[in-house]
């Protein structure tokens, strides 16, 4: 017997979208094209319907072997001696973090809209928010963002809306990927992203920054430690911006806040950045999570969702979503953001990590990072052919200048199973033969000395 589904699948007129031909015609007319094909002109014809060359089916046994073979082509930080940093950092993560993350009630849970069924998830978010708030020194933290770059871009959106102005200033010493995302966010909009430079010491150019503050400046973005690993001196920056009616937006490695001045102590209005250092593995670049904290005055501008603690009808402690100015909850034109899904599982990892280490533990790890990087910098300074600045405060990475191209250094050290760092000329063409080296608490004295020994042979 033919079922309704069979009839539907057989029907050539089955609609999967509630659009009539007349609807489509009106939409195309409004867009200004004559047909759907006209919308695809920018895509080469050869790519629109390419031939899929899929081999013969394999058995489960063969598939497993194939995947193992392909997987062995990757190298994790555990397989090499890595000095990569630049936004993603190798840290020791207690085993308990992974064990708790993989509990079914967390691993399979999704959006905690129903408080009567999601008290555990809501409590985790609340605890995460509370810990990040304490770390950043600000008043309110949301449930998290996709990653550091989108979190910072949302901070810029907040500043533009709060001030009703059109320009965001950003230091060129801010992570290049974050600046690219900012430009993408505001491409083809009335808003402008204007960069100010950095000096030979790799810190922001204060004169250039101050010269670009104007009546249309909504806020300025700084990073400390900045992309070069140098701690910025932001003394007076918040006063300068606030006098102009602008906001200070600060991004920083959250691990550094365990030992250094927090965004709140710098007078920041918003702290937004990458939370990966807090218990999230490198994972070949993601998924990570973005943290986002604001002052109390900006609480109702915060994108995403907030979990709050309250009482139920019987006076018992309970958790619920408190603020959620998202497009799917309120009118679109009033929404703070429409891409602010929180990274609940990664936020859980950060929450567990911070809880296990505690305040003193976070401070200790931060100090170990500073110690390792400072020791490595002293060693590199004595290697002929390489230069470093020893007079600058750093956290866990620093810039090395060499007399030979970085590519040659990288090729030689990879043969020794060492990843020497990040080529800065790919982001800053003027920084030829300069590269960024990172040393976290995961590096032993012997590993640091071995790296310098091999570097001296390049």
């Amino acid at each position: 017997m033919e079922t309704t589904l069979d009839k539907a699948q057989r029907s050539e007129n089955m609609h999967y979208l509630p659009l009539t031909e007349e609807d489509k015609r009106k939409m195309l007319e409004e867009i200004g094209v004559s047909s759907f094909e006209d919308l695809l002109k920018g895509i080469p014809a050869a790519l629109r319907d390419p031939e899929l060359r899929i081999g013969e089916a394999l058995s489960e046994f063969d598939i497993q072997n194939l995947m193992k073979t392909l997987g062995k082509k990757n190298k994790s930080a555990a397989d090499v001696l890595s000095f990569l940093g630049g936004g993603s950092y190798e840290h020791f993560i207690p085993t308990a973090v992974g064990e708790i993350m993989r509990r079914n009630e967390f691993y399979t849970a999704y959006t905690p809209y129903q408080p009567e069924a999601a008290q555990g998830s809501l409590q985790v978010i609340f605890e995460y928010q509370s810990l990040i708030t304490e770390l950043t020194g600000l008043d309110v933290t949301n449930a998290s963002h996709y990653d550091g770059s989108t979190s910072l871009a949302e901070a810029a959106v907040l500043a533009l809306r709060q001030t009703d102005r059109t320009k965001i200033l950003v230091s060129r010493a801010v992570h290049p990927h974050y600046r690219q995302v900012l430009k993408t966010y505001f491409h083809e909009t009335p808003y402008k992203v204007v960069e100010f430079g950095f000096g030979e010491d790799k810190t922001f150019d204060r004169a250039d920054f101050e010269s670009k503050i104007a009546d249309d400046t909504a806020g300025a973005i700084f990073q400390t430690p900045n992309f070069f690993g140098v701690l910025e001196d932001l003394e007076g920056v918040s006063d300068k911006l606030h006098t102009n009616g602008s906001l200070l937006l600060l991004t920083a490695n959250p691990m550094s806040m365990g030992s250094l001045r927090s965004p709140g102590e710098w007078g920041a209005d918003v702290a937004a950045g990458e939370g990966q250092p807090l218990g999230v593995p490198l994972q070949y670049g993601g998924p990570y999570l973005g943290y986002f904290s604001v002052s109390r005055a900006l609480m109702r501008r915060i994108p995403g969702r907030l979990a709050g603690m309250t009482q139920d009808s019987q006076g018992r402690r309970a958790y619920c979503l408190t603020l959620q100015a998202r497009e799917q909850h309120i009118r679109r034109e009033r929404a703070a953001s429409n891409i602010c899904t929180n990274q609940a599982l990664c936020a859980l990892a950060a929450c567990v990590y911070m809880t296990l280490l505690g305040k003193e533990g976070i401070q200790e790890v931060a100090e170990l990072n500073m110690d390792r990087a400072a020791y490595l910098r002293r060693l590199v300074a004595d290697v002929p052919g390489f230069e470093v600045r020893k007079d600058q405060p750093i956290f866990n990475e620093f810039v090395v200048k060499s007399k030979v191209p970085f590519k040659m250094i990288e090729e030689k050290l990879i043969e020794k199973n060492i990843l020497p760092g990040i080529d800065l000329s790919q982001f800053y063409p003027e920084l030829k033969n300069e590269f960024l080296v990172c040393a976290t608490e995961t590096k032993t004295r012997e590993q640091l000395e071995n790296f310098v020994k091999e570097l001296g042979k390049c």
Side-chain angles (χ1 to χ4, degrees), residues 171-184:
S171 167
R172 284 193 74 227
V174 168
H175 197 301
H177 291 167
Y178 294 6
R179 289 185 285 119
Q180 288 175 353
V181 171
L182 277 171
K183 291 175 183 174
T184 301

Side-chain angles (χ1 to χ4, degrees), residues 50 75 78 97 103-104 118 121 135 139 155 174 176 206 252 262 272 288 336 346 350 384 422 437 455:
K75 284 190 175 181
V97 174
R103 288 179 63 93
N104 288 344
S121 298
L135 201 58
D139 301 313
V174 168
R206 191 174 288 264
S262 68
Y288 292 165
C346 292
I422 298 173
V437 175
L455 192 66

Side-chain angles (χ1 to χ4, degrees), residues 92-394:
F92 166 72
I93 300 173
T95 304
V97 174
E99 288 298 312
I100 294 174
M101 279 179 66
R102 284 190 287 272
R103 288 179 63 93
N104 288 344
E105 60 266 42
F106 294 127
Y107 210 68
T108 60
Y110 185 53
T111 306
Y113 290 130
Q114 296 81 26
E116 65 276 13
Q119 282 299 294
S121 298
L122 287 164
Q123 181 175 356
V124 166
I125 295 173
F126 177 81
E127 301 290 356
Y128 162 82
Q129 293 171 175
S130 302
L131 292 168
I132 292 292
T133 298
E134 188 171 348
L135 201 58
T136 58
L138 286 168
D139 301 313
V140 184
T141 297
N142 73 5
S144 73
H145 278 269
Y146 286 122
D147 57 21
S149 63
T150 53
S151 184
L152 190 61
E154 290 292 336
V157 172
L158 181 152
L160 292 165
R161 286 180 169 166
Q162 175 67 13
T163 61
D164 196 22
R165 297 179 178 178
T166 57
K167 186 171 74 178
I168 291 291
L169 300 179
V170 57
S171 167
R172 284 193 74 227
V174 168
H175 197 301
H177 291 167
Y178 294 6
R179 289 185 285 119
Q180 288 175 353
V181 171
L182 277 171
K183 291 175 183 174
T184 301
Y185 251 61
F186 299 114
H187 181 66
E188 297 293 342
T189 73
Y191 305 113
K192 294 179 291 184
V193 176
V194 178
E195 297 185 342
F196 52 93
F198 56 82
E200 291 185 1
D201 62 355
K202 304 289 192 300
T203 63
F204 81 97
D205 185 330
R206 191 174 288 264
D208 191 24
F209 158 62
E210 293 184 354
S211 71
K212 290 176 178 172
I213 298 176
D215 292 342
D216 61 349
T217 303
I221 300 174
F222 292 82
Q223 180 177 353
T224 183
N226 65 24
F227 183 66
F228 306 113
V230 184
L231 308 188
E232 295 276 17
D233 178 8
L234 300 175
E235 204 65 52
V237 168
S238 64
D239 291 340
K240 193 77 179 178
L241 287 166
H242 292 159
T243 300
N244 189 60
S246 312
L247 304 183
L248 171 58
L249 317 177
L250 202 56
T251 184
N253 182 334
M255 185 65 76
S256 72
M257 299 175 201
S259 182
L260 305 173
R261 289 178 69 169
S262 68
E265 291 171 318
W266 280 119
D269 301 283
V270 182
E274 181 54 62
Q276 176 272 329
L278 301 174
V280 179
L282 290 171
Q283 301 181 149
Y284 299 103
Y288 292 165
L289 79 153
Y291 67 86
F292 196 107
S293 302
V294 299
S295 62
R296 182 173 294 274
L298 300 173
M299 180 172 63
R300 292 192 175 276
R301 291 281 186 184
I302 199 167
R305 58 168 70 99
L306 284 176
M309 186 170 67
T310 183
Q311 292 183 337
D312 66 9
S313 59
Q314 299 178 33
R316 297 173 301 188
R317 185 174 63 182
Y319 300 90
C320 64
L321 289 179
T322 305
L323 285 176
Q324 36 190 333
R326 309 170 68 208
E327 188 180 74
Q328 62 196 97
H329 296 299
I330 63 177
R331 283 182 294 172
R332 183 174 187 175
E333 64 272 18
R334 299 190 62 188
S337 172
N338 63 354
I339 62 155
C340 48
T341 289
N342 79 292
Q343 289 281 49
L345 201 60
C346 292
L348 168 64
C351 181
V352 175
Y353 178 85
M354 289 186 282
T355 302
L356 290 173
L357 267 65
K359 186 174 183 179
E360 293 181 358
I362 293 287
Q363 181 178 355
E364 185 178 344
V365 173
E367 290 172 352
L368 283 171
N369 276 250
M370 297 173 73
D371 177 73
R372 297 291 190 274
Y375 179 64
L376 181 59
R377 185 173 64 170
R378 288 199 300 274
L379 294 178
V380 173
D382 294 332
V383 180
F386 294 90
E387 298 177 21
V388 296
R389 288 192 63 141
K390 295 192 292 184
D391 59 341
Q392 291 180 307
I394 58 172

